[in-house]
Amino acid sequence: MPTAIIADDERLMRDLLRTRLSQVWPDLEIIGEAKNGDEAVQLVDDLKPDLTFLDIRMPGKTGMEAARDIGDASQVVFVTAYDQYAVEAFERGAIDYVLKPPEPERLKITVERLKERLATPAQAATASVNVSDTVTAMLSQLAEKIAAPKPKYLQWIQASIGQDLRMIPVEEILFFRSDEKYTCVQTEKFEALIRKPVRDLSEELDPALFWQIHRATLVNVNAIEGVTRDIRGRHLVLIKGRSEKLEVSRSFLHLFKQM
């Protein structure tokens, strides 16, 4: 049975990758998790996994630096949110990659490649030997992104849609609206539910992107079409492309004075 560890400083991403891997590769055993690059290197040394899934940007050692230290001790798969030139570099190199959030269809492609390598020791050995050269080339391309601090605000929301779990980039969310039990997460294409209340979300989301306009409502600034008043004198936010009108509490009216 092949073994692997997952290294990512975001618990939600570790959980989601573990879940997705179990769906597309039931025989793969996840034997450890790390929150940073240093822990990942130590886990590889202690547990000797066949595969190591490394987030590119983590506290301490980055995923790239950890990969150089891991060398040929384990086959490296980078987990990345960079879907442009970095992905092109991965495609050309011997190392595989998984885009965030990991989607089953794309993950299946990675899994098939990894199975082939594990089944062919010579190919796996060649891939490991090429890790250092590939990582060195990518480090020069991604230096600025890697050096930049990770944002302190939430970048993803983990939400339920029926029986499925989705990772939703926050910039795709139009608004959050809570009731007594759940918070509705509304995007252009679908509605999802989470249990986290608006009062907690307001502290974890970028206030420049999401405005709290009511004790139970947060709205994406980029989704606001305008503000109107109804016959009762209430101020209502209009959402681009949608019929919903979100009420603005009096204590939050100051946000719209500039509009």
Side-chain angles (χ1 to χ4, degrees):
M1 180 179 291
T3 59
I5 66 167
I6 296 172
D8 195 307
D9 61 323
E10 298 181 28
R11 182 186 60 79
L12 291 179
M13 280 299 171
R14 295 199 305 271
D15 291 346
L16 186 62
L17 182 55
R18 176 188 284 270
T19 299
R20 294 285 191 253
L21 282 169
S22 69
Q23 293 170 348
V24 301
W25 198 355
D27 291 338
L28 180 67
E29 182 182 4
I30 306 300
I31 57 175
E33 294 185 8
K35 299 185 295 295
N36 55 59
D38 297 290
E39 288 185 7
V41 173
Q42 188 62 52
L43 276 181
V44 169
D45 188 49
D46 293 342
L47 303 178
K48 307 295 189 296
D50 298 307
L51 305 166
T52 299
F53 291 85
L54 284 175
D55 182 22
I56 283 184
R57 192 166 61 179
M58 293 183 290
K61 283 186 174 69
T62 66
M64 313 278 255
E65 293 164 339
R68 285 194 296 185
D69 289 347
I70 290 169
D72 61 0
S74 178
Q75 291 192 58
V76 170
V77 181
F78 282 120
V79 182
T80 174
Y82 310 139
D83 58 356
Q84 298 175 0
Y85 57 87
V87 168
E88 183 180 349
F90 287 134
E91 293 279 21
R92 292 197 306 264
I95 308 169
D96 215 317
Y97 70 96
V98 175
L99 281 178
K100 290 185 178 182
E103 296 295 339
E105 291 306 312
R106 176 60 185 84
L107 201 53
K108 286 178 183 178
I109 297 173
T110 295
V111 165
E112 290 306 313
R113 292 174 180 170
L114 294 172
K115 286 181 178 179
E116 289 179 8
R117 288 183 187 167
L118 292 177
T120 311
Q123 185 179 1
T126 301
S128 296
V129 169
N130 290 336
V131 165
S132 181
D133 292 340
T134 304
V135 170
T136 299
M138 292 177 63
L139 274 172
S140 62
Q141 287 184 302
L142 298 174
E144 292 185 5
K145 285 183 178 287
I146 292 172
K150 294 196 76 167
K152 62 180 180 178
Y153 299 113
L154 286 179
Q155 300 298 298
W156 307 87
I157 295 293
Q158 180 176 277
S160 298
I161 304 176
Q163 299 300 312
D164 295 330
L165 198 63
R166 292 282 293 271
M167 293 296 291
I168 309 171
V170 295
E171 61 269 15
E172 294 182 6
I173 298 170
L174 302 178
F175 59 84
F176 297 89
R177 188 160 52 184
S178 292
D179 58 22
E180 294 182 359
K181 190 173 182 181
Y182 294 101
T183 296
C184 166
V185 181
Q186 183 68 60
T187 73
E188 289 185 3
K189 298 180 179 179
F190 58 83
E191 176 184 290
L193 296 175
I194 59 176
R195 290 186 178 275
K196 182 173 292 189
V198 160
R199 65 173 179 273
D200 292 345
L201 287 167
S202 65
E203 297 176 357
E204 299 176 7
L205 291 165
D206 184 351
L209 180 60
F210 283 91
W211 287 357
Q212 183 167 6
I213 61 171
H214 187 278
R215 63 181 177 80
T217 310
L218 285 165
V219 64
N220 187 327
V221 174
N222 297 322
I224 296 175
E225 183 174 0
V227 181
T228 187
R229 296 179 68 176
D230 65 8
I231 59 175
R232 294 167 54 190
R234 297 179 306 170
H235 287 77
L236 305 172
V237 168
L238 307 177
I239 302 298
K240 294 176 182 177
R242 299 191 65 83
S243 60
E244 287 97 339
K245 295 179 181 180
L246 308 177
E247 183 177 356
V248 183
S249 296
R250 187 169 299 178
S251 56
F252 295 107
L253 284 176
H254 65 277
L255 294 171
F256 300 94
K257 288 182 178 179
Q258 58 189 351
M259 297 184 69

